[in-house]
Amino acid sequence: MKQLYFLLCLLLVGCRSEPKVDYEAQKSATFTTAAVAGPHPLATRTAVEVLRRGGNAIDAAVAMQFAMAVVFPRAGNIGGGGFLVYRAADGATLSLDYRETAPAAASRDMYLDTAGNVTEGLSTRGHLAVGVPGTVAGIAAMHERLGTLPWAELLQPAIDFARDGYRLSESEIDRLKRYHADFNEFNETTPFSDSTLGAGAQVKQPDLAATLIRIQEAGRDGFYTGETADLIVAEMESGGGLITRDDLAAYAPAWKEPITKDYKGYRLLSMPPSSSGGVALAQMAEMVEPYPLGDYGFQSVRSVQVIAEAMRRAYADRAEYLGDAKFYPVPVDSLLDDAYLRQRMADFRFDTAGTSVTTVAGQVAMKENFETTHISIVDSLGNAVSITTTLNGNYGSKVMVDGGGFFLNNEMDDFSAKPGVPNMFGLVGKEANAIEPGKRMLSSMTPTIVEKEGELFMVIGAPGGSTIITAVLQTFLNVAEYGMELPEAVAAPRFHHQWLPDQILYETDALAGGVLDSLTELGYQFREVNSMAVIKAVRVLPDGSLQAAADPRNPDDDVEGY
Ligand code: DON
């Protein structure tokens, strides 16, 4: 038995008594020169090593994203997609959309049964849930345009983690155990198939190391063509998935102008469609701006009402109008028009709750633990990077590419499978977010950079599905309106309204001191949740130093810098 265990260890998990890499996460710190906030200490450390070697924020982000694909497998990925918002030290801004796309063989009703009902699980688990991955193409594009250190060098830390092994965090072990049965359902084996993974377990991922080496040698082609593409297509064919070699070869990331919104001396820069994040954040900021939230006080009845009603209205518009602007005429300018947004709040009254029956789009349920990655980086020159990437659910579709060693996303669930039927985040959508071949599914990811009086002020973002946008808004307001220090602003309990269902989700400690009762009397409905989005942010302090804050909601969240 012991021999068998030893053999298993050799094959699957390293069993050295001394862990190769040890780590402790730290949630906040202030640095003089450069700072990184992210979801895992080994990844933040990787980024800081690149910065110390003279790499810029993009170089650090490249190394960190690949490192996360190894050490943070529940969300770090090469089989998913994401978004970059970038602000150069000279103030120039850019965003990069490397969201997944629907395969060419996808169709509007692909998740409906013969009676026209959505088939439970088809868009969330298994091969049919997978969108064409964008992550590797996105990272290659950002490196090509903005990176300075050699590509191969930036891949090496991830390859080392995958090939030589690293110690799993307690929270990852916990999560891996929870999804063990799912892995078995869709995979013959994974590096995580050992259900006895215990504290201190080390894991090696040789197939993933080989995939990363192919990417190291051939750039994006090491993923979208050749052996890796063959492995992805073979995996698809083995499980009834749709992605073909042509889908992979055709994948292209897209450079875009960020959404911008001025707010009382600040400027928010965030992600345009195919994410809803930037538009909804800007709409909410504009709707709450006329109200003296600072005077009302943090999570006072009045503050919560104003913010929740702005959320309700922004998410109503999201459901009607937002989707991939390449496929649907998303009326971004109208949605962000100041007069339109002031008008949106015209029917708001302090003496009663609004309703999502009367609040519909303007004229122009949480089923599992969710996970995504967000990284916020400021380098020594003042370049700032805000990146959110995801597989969607934990370990995405739970399908690992056989021989490739990486999980594939279940991002297809972010489309509206049928008008009015909620996805796994309870979000509804219509025509704007219907499935079409080659189209990007609507996201809520909100990588954001904030300027104050023209200077870099904050880099912020989060995982958390539909709650990402409202968490970014509240954390910003906690600093800008309620005068909190960044770590306090990140940790503060939050609430969330997304139009439908017509209820305010609130974290256990939120809405304290009778506020919940007062709002209930006004007609609001509530649902308590353990926690929502998980913010990672960096703020430039008045003396120029960098205050980084990760979120106590995720044990592995970490900040590093120098
Ligand atoms: O793009 C989106 O909005 C979702 N797929 C993000 C998923 C997510 O954040 C999961 N959880 N933390």
Side-chain angles (χ1 to χ4, degrees):
M1 184 65 196
K2 267 191 185 152
Q3 271 170 339
L4 184 65
Y5 178 62
F6 180 63
L7 258 177
L8 259 179
C9 283
L10 278 184
L11 285 172
L12 304 176
V13 237
C15 286
R16 282 160 291 192
S17 54
E18 286 301 312
K20 177 177 166 58
V21 201
D22 213 339
Y23 53 81
E24 291 300 327
Q26 61 173 342
K27 297 292 178 249
S28 67
T30 300
F31 306 101
T32 54
T33 310
V36 180
H40 196 286
L42 298 182
T44 43
R45 209 155 291 176
T46 300
V48 169
E49 279 164 15
V50 170
L51 294 170
R52 281 187 186 277
R53 283 207 308 277
N56 65 16
I58 289 288
D59 294 321
V62 169
M64 188 168 175
Q65 288 178 92
F66 283 118
M68 288 190 299
V70 181
V71 303
F72 190 58
R74 64 183 184 254
N77 67 84
I78 53 174
F83 301 103
L84 157 76
V85 173
Y86 175 74
R87 183 185 185 278
D90 66 4
T93 59
L94 279 172
S95 74
L96 181 66
D97 179 334
Y98 51 105
R99 181 71 159 168
E100 299 92 327
T101 54
S107 56
R108 168 182 302 249
D109 296 337
M110 62 187 278
Y111 298 119
L112 305 188
D113 61 20
T114 47
N117 298 317
V118 175
T119 309
E120 176 76 25
L122 218 51
S123 65
T124 53
R125 305 174 81 249
H127 297 71
L128 214 50
V130 184
V132 181
T135 293
V136 175
I139 304 177
M142 69 181 75
H143 180 259
E144 189 182 351
R145 181 158 179 175
L146 300 163
T148 57
L149 292 186
W151 173 254
E153 199 178 297
L154 300 174
L155 266 289
Q156 198 56 47
I159 293 169
D160 292 344
F161 285 132
R163 191 186 49 206
D164 303 340
Y166 67 98
R167 182 165 73 81
L168 289 165
S169 73
E170 302 300 314
S171 78
E172 194 73 54
I173 290 173
D174 179 57
R175 214 62 73 89
L176 286 167
K177 285 183 173 160
R178 213 179 307 165
Y179 289 95
H180 185 70
D182 299 84
F183 297 162
N184 287 346
E185 186 177 338
F186 296 109
N187 308 284
E188 294 214 339
T189 181
T190 76
F192 314 110
S193 296
D194 182 0
S195 64
T196 63
L197 288 174
Q202 292 231 352
V203 64
K204 292 183 184 182
Q205 303 180 61
D207 287 345
L208 180 54
T211 298
L212 291 169
I213 288 168
R214 288 192 290 277
I215 297 168
Q216 185 183 44
E217 287 169 353
R220 66 158 277 160
D221 286 351
F223 185 87
Y224 292 93
T225 63
E227 187 174 346
T228 314
D230 289 346
L231 291 168
I232 295 171
V233 171
E235 182 63 55
M236 286 288 116
E237 285 169 355
S238 76
L242 300 181
I243 297 172
T244 63
R245 276 180 196 77
D246 285 348
D247 286 323
L248 291 166
Y251 183 83
W255 291 99
K256 299 178 174 177
E257 290 296 317
I259 297 285
T260 60
K261 168 74 191 87
D262 290 336
Y263 181 95
K264 299 183 186 174
Y266 298 92
R267 170 165 287 187
L268 303 167
L269 305 156
S270 194
M271 198 64 214
S274 59
S275 183
S276 61
V279 169
L281 179 69
Q283 285 194 308
M284 292 187 294
E286 180 67 32
M287 283 189 265
V288 304
E289 193 178 25
Y291 298 88
L293 297 177
D295 295 345
Y296 294 163
F298 170 72
Q299 288 189 5
S300 63
V301 172
R302 286 198 157 218
S303 273
V304 175
Q305 263 194 292
V306 167
I307 295 169
E309 293 295 344
M311 291 174 180
R312 181 201 306 279
R313 287 158 176 76
Y315 279 76
D317 282 0
R318 181 194 192 281
E320 181 73 32
Y321 294 119
L322 293 185
D324 183 347
K326 209 171 148 189
F327 287 75
Y328 184 86
V330 180
V332 172
D333 291 345
S334 305
L335 290 169
L336 296 183
D337 181 69
D338 288 358
Y340 166 73
L341 291 167
R342 298 288 155 107
Q343 179 58 30
R344 283 296 267 156
M345 289 294 270
D347 62 348
F348 162 64
R349 290 165 43 200
F350 278 114
D351 60 2
T352 182
T355 80
S356 294
V357 177
T358 51
T359 297
V360 294
Q363 294 305 309
V364 272
M366 310 289 190
K367 293 181 189 161
E368 64 166 307
N369 270 304
F370 302 116
E371 203 55 80
T372 285
T373 78
H374 179 80
I375 61 179
S376 293
I377 302 179
V378 180
D379 69 19
S380 63
L381 301 171
N383 300 305
V385 159
S386 188
I387 291 179
T388 316
T389 78
T390 193
L391 288 169
N392 199 19
N394 277 276
Y395 313 101
S397 60
K398 325 306 188 233
V399 175
M400 177 173 272
V401 174
D402 191 23
F406 55 93
F407 285 108
L408 290 166
N409 67 82
N410 59 343
E411 221 73 61
M412 290 295 285
D413 189 65
D414 275 346
F415 278 118
S416 172
K418 182 180 176 181
V421 175
N423 74 356
M424 71 180 185
F425 298 105
L427 291 166
V428 291
K430 295 184 187 166
E431 184 61 29
N433 192 29
I435 305 171
E436 286 179 67
K439 186 175 177 180
R440 287 159 153 83
M441 55 296 282
L442 184 62
S443 174
S444 300
M445 293 191 279
T446 315
T448 297
I449 293 175
V450 185
E451 295 174 348
K452 186 175 184 187
E453 277 134 25
E455 301 293 327
L456 178 65
F457 179 70
M458 194 190 289
V459 185
I460 185 170
S466 58
T467 67
I468 294 173
I469 320 171
T470 55
V472 169
L473 174 76
Q474 286 171 84
T475 309
F476 165 69
L477 292 175
N478 286 348
V479 174
E481 290 282 2
Y482 302 118
M484 292 185 199
E485 288 295 318
L486 189 61
E488 186 191 358
V490 169
R494 293 191 277 266
F495 60 93
H496 170 78
H497 197 307
Q498 61 180 44
W499 180 54
L500 293 176
D502 189 352
Q503 60 187 10
I504 297 178
L505 302 188
Y506 69 103
E507 290 177 321
T508 307
D509 297 334
L511 315 180
V515 168
L516 188 67
D517 291 341
S518 301
L519 289 165
T520 304
E521 272 170 34
L522 289 170
Y524 289 97
Q525 297 180 54
F526 291 92
R527 197 175 115 211
E528 185 177 343
V529 295
N530 289 336
S531 78
M532 295 190 234
V534 186
I535 293 276
K536 301 121 203 356
V538 176
R539 175 188 170 176
V540 183
L541 293 173
D543 68 359
S545 59
L546 301 169
Q547 186 179 38
D551 202 319
R553 291 167 180 80
N554 171 23
D556 294 346
D557 256 32
D558 182 56
V559 302
E560 301 286 342
Y562 62 98

